[in-house]
């Protein structure tokens, strides 16, 4: 007798499960395909505050990835590079995310998940990652963008859930913001915590100020 109810629940779960559309390209705020050869700002949906580099919590390097709190609101431009170097960037596919502007640290500007910060009890996102070379060695360097909802402009959450190593064990987590050491720093967040929704803004359009 319970079966129909269980089935109905399963259908509901299926319908609402946030499953990324495999094969969909990432779209910028104008609805254009996101490309590997262009620079973008990643901005929080709603308030438009972008991402930048910031002094590490403890040591000076590598730099933390953080959200801007002052002008320019856009933060620093970024580039995406897929694990297979595809020309267009796809949803739910492993990506290197890399700032384009050189900073005070000599490390690379590729995002990575930093070593666990025991003092603060969090995994912070920093620069200093390795680009390319998908596999177990580079597990901490891959991020995915997954679409939230279907309305325009395309809005995404950033996810740490690498597929580049089938035999590796790790917890899939969302990338979000945490207020630590007087800054809004990017960290891995538990599933039950609010999602950090972002839109992708072409950096070139911003520079040219086309209207
Ligand atoms: C790269 O991977 C994506 C998704 O897995 C796929 O859609 C695309 O065709 C691939 N591109 C190349 C150049 O291999």
């Amino acid at each position: 007798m319970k079966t129909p109810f269980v089935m109905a629940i399963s259908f509901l779960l299926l319908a609402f499960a946030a499953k990324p559309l495999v094969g969909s390209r990432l779209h910028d705020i104008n609805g254009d395909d996101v490309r590997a050869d262009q620079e973008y700002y990643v901005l929080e949906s709603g308030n438009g505050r972008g991402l930048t580099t910031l002094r590490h919590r403890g040591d000076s390097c590598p730099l933390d990835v953080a959200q801007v709190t002052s002008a320019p609101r856009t933060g620093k431009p970024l580039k995406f590079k897929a694990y297979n170097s595809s020309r267009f960037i796809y949803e739910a596919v492993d990506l290197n995310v890399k700032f384009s502007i050189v900073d005070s640290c000599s490390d690379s500007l590729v995002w990575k998940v930093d070593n666990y910060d025991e003092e603060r009890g969090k995994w912070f996102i920093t620069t200093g990652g390795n680009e390319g070379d998908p596999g177990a060695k580079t597990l901490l360097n891959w991020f995915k963008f997954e679409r939230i909802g279907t309305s325009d402009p395309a809005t995404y959450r950033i996810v740490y859930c690498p597929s580049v190593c089938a035999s590796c064990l790790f917890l899939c987590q969302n990338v979000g913001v945490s207020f630590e050491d007087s800054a809004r720093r990017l960290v891995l967040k538990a599933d039950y915590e609010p999602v950090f929704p972002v839109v992708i803004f072409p950096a070139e359009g911003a520079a040219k100020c086309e209207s």
Side-chain angles (χ1 to χ4, degrees):
M1 284 305 282
K2 271 194 197 149
T3 313
F5 178 69
V6 170
M7 273 181 62
I9 291 287
S10 309
F11 274 116
L12 280 177
L13 285 178
L14 274 180
F16 288 111
K19 50 175 185 215
L21 285 171
V22 175
S24 299
R25 289 178 183 169
L26 287 192
H27 287 153
D28 69 16
I29 200 156
N30 302 320
D32 294 325
D33 291 330
V34 171
R35 305 166 55 112
D37 62 357
Q38 282 181 22
E39 295 183 344
Y40 297 91
Y41 297 109
V42 169
L43 310 177
E44 180 172 356
S45 164
N47 69 25
R49 289 190 190 278
L51 303 176
T52 188
T53 49
L54 204 71
R55 199 172 182 281
H56 190 275
R57 291 133 277 140
D59 320 312
S60 50
C61 294
L63 298 162
D64 279 348
V65 180
Q67 189 177 27
V68 294
T69 47
S70 54
R73 287 172 73 97
T74 48
K76 291 183 176 174
L78 300 154
K79 273 188 164 187
F80 304 104
K81 191 174 178 197
Y83 75 100
N84 64 359
S85 303
S86 57
R87 190 164 149 233
F88 293 101
I89 303 301
Y90 293 83
E91 277 179 41
V93 163
D94 283 314
L95 308 173
N96 286 142
V97 184
K98 184 184 182 179
F99 283 113
S100 308
I101 294 178
V102 178
D103 226 308
S104 49
C105 287
S106 56
D107 303 304
S108 82
L109 289 171
V110 177
W111 290 17
K112 70 166 191 221
V113 179
D114 198 16
N115 297 331
Y116 185 66
D117 185 324
E118 284 187 26
E119 194 185 327
R120 295 163 187 86
K122 292 198 167 67
W123 300 88
F124 287 85
I125 312 299
T126 63
T127 55
N130 295 315
E131 196 171 330
D133 194 16
K137 273 188 302 180
T138 60
L139 201 62
L140 296 170
N141 300 248
W142 300 99
F143 298 90
K144 294 174 175 173
F145 279 61
E146 291 182 0
R147 183 126 185 206
I148 311 171
T150 50
S151 52
D152 290 324
T155 307
Y156 300 94
R157 61 176 174 161
I158 310 171
V159 177
Y160 175 70
C161 191
S163 308
V164 292
C165 172
S167 60
C168 295
L169 278 179
F170 53 85
L171 212 57
C172 288
Q173 292 193 282
N174 292 324
V175 174
V177 169
S178 183
F179 194 78
E180 306 277 343
D181 294 47
S182 8
R184 293 173 58 75
R185 299 173 197 264
L186 261 60
V187 296
L188 295 187
K189 290 264 184 174
D191 250 1
Y192 55 81
E193 294 182 274
V195 167
F196 177 58
V198 297
V199 293
I200 302 170
F201 195 91
E204 249 169 59
K208 277 189 257 159
C209 226
E210 290 164 337
S211 56

